[in-house]
Amino acid sequence: MDGNGRWAKNRLMPRFVGHERGLNAVKKTVKGAMELGVDALTLFAFSTENWKRPQEEVNKLMSLFMLALQREVKKLHENNVRLRIVGDTSAFSYEIQQKIRSAEELTQENTGLALNIAANYGGRHDIVNAVKTWAKSNPELAIDDLNEDAISQNVALEDLPLPDLLIRTGGEQRISNFLLWQMAYAEFYFTDELWPDFDKASLQKAIESFQNRERRFGKTSEQVQNRC
Ligand code: FPP
């Protein structure tokens, strides 16, 4: 979700206004995703690197998470959304951690949209952590037993199908340590649109672009078209 700061700057407003509008875009996009029949949506809200931002901005982002958790969880639950926060939430305040726990518990049986918020998340850390979890839970195994399946089963969102599409707004064309393992075969879609302007129509455009691509997973075009 890139471009909140620039959106605000273009309007001579402080950066936090961009983040507030960014939260509006989150709501529009989540609603749009439900209406378009998306199974899972993961939003990168705060990276492990974002702590380096000015303290005032970090505080503002934390208050926005808190506000979103206070105001939106009931509505998400009523809409059968399963909410999960991925990332190291132990760095957040006790209040935020409590709200996260109760939101996840409340919505865990829901069968509609799987909405994941990546907060204090880093893809490299996720992979290292997966290896450690695997090693600790299989002390009888040797390093040569480690394989791709073992990592896949221990990274974040391991129970969901792998992401099909990565959308990055704000004109940057980077992955920025987001779901590195999980995105191995994802299609990438970059748009200059700034995150606060993103909505259902923007999401639909990204999905249409995805639908026009040929996913070969290493095979030839002929093999894919003949389904062999
Ligand atoms: C990147 O734009 C955006 C963020 C680091 C924060 C994203 C947060 C929200 C959209 C609001 C809260 C969301 C939830 C899910 C509660 P930027 O600040 O890097 O913008 P810039 O590239 O224009 O400076």
Side-chain angles (χ1 to χ4, degrees), residues 1-9 15 18-26 43-47 50 53 57 61 64-69 117-118 168-170 172 174 194-196:
M1 298 188 284
D2 223 340
N4 293 351
R6 276 165 288 162
W7 187 95
K9 197 173 172 201
R15 290 178 62 85
H19 294 313
E20 284 174 350
R21 294 304 184 99
L23 182 53
N24 272 348
V26 168
L43 299 168
F44 202 1
F46 196 86
S47 74
N50 283 149
R53 292 196 174 198
E57 183 168 347
L61 284 167
L64 270 186
F65 292 148
M66 194 64 194
L67 192 75
L69 287 163
I117 308 291
R168 183 164 186 157
T169 58
E172 317 294 351
R174 295 187 287 274
L194 302 177
W195 176 253

Side-chain angles (χ1 to χ4, degrees), residues 90-103:
S90 68
F92 296 127
S93 72
Y94 178 73
E95 288 77 17
I96 294 185
Q97 291 185 52
Q98 287 281 87
K99 288 264 178 251
I100 289 175
R101 211 165 303 135
S102 61

Side-chain angles (χ1 to χ4, degrees), residues 28-41 79 81 111-114 161 164 200 203-204 207 210-211:
K28 283 187 279 179
T29 306
V30 169
K31 189 163 178 278
M34 290 191 289
E35 290 165 0
L36 293 168
V38 170
D39 290 328
L41 176 69
N79 283 286
V81 173
T111 53
L113 175 72
D164 289 312
K200 181 183 175 184
L203 179 62
Q204 195 154 14
I207 293 173
F210 167 81
Q211 286 168 332

Side-chain angles (χ1 to χ4, degrees), residues 129-141 146 150 153-154:
N129 196 47
V131 175
K132 286 185 183 169
T133 309
W134 172 84
K136 285 178 191 162
S137 49
N138 299 284
E140 73 288 2
L141 298 182
L146 180 65
Q153 285 156 17
N154 287 287

Side-chain angles (χ1 to χ4, degrees), residues 176-220:
S176 294
N177 207 11
F178 186 47
L179 297 175
L180 294 179
W181 183 269
Q182 298 85 336
M183 291 290 176
Y185 285 99
E187 294 291 328
F188 284 20
Y189 177 87
F190 299 108
T191 167
D192 288 336
E193 198 167 29
L194 302 177
W195 176 253
D197 294 323
F198 201 85
D199 58 10
K200 181 183 175 184
S202 321
L203 179 62
Q204 195 154 14
K205 217 168 132 198
I207 293 173
E208 278 162 17
S209 158
F210 167 81
Q211 286 168 332
N212 288 323
R213 300 191 192 181
E214 182 183 66
R215 303 183 83 194
R216 294 198 290 273
F217 299 100
K219 295 183 177 179
T220 67

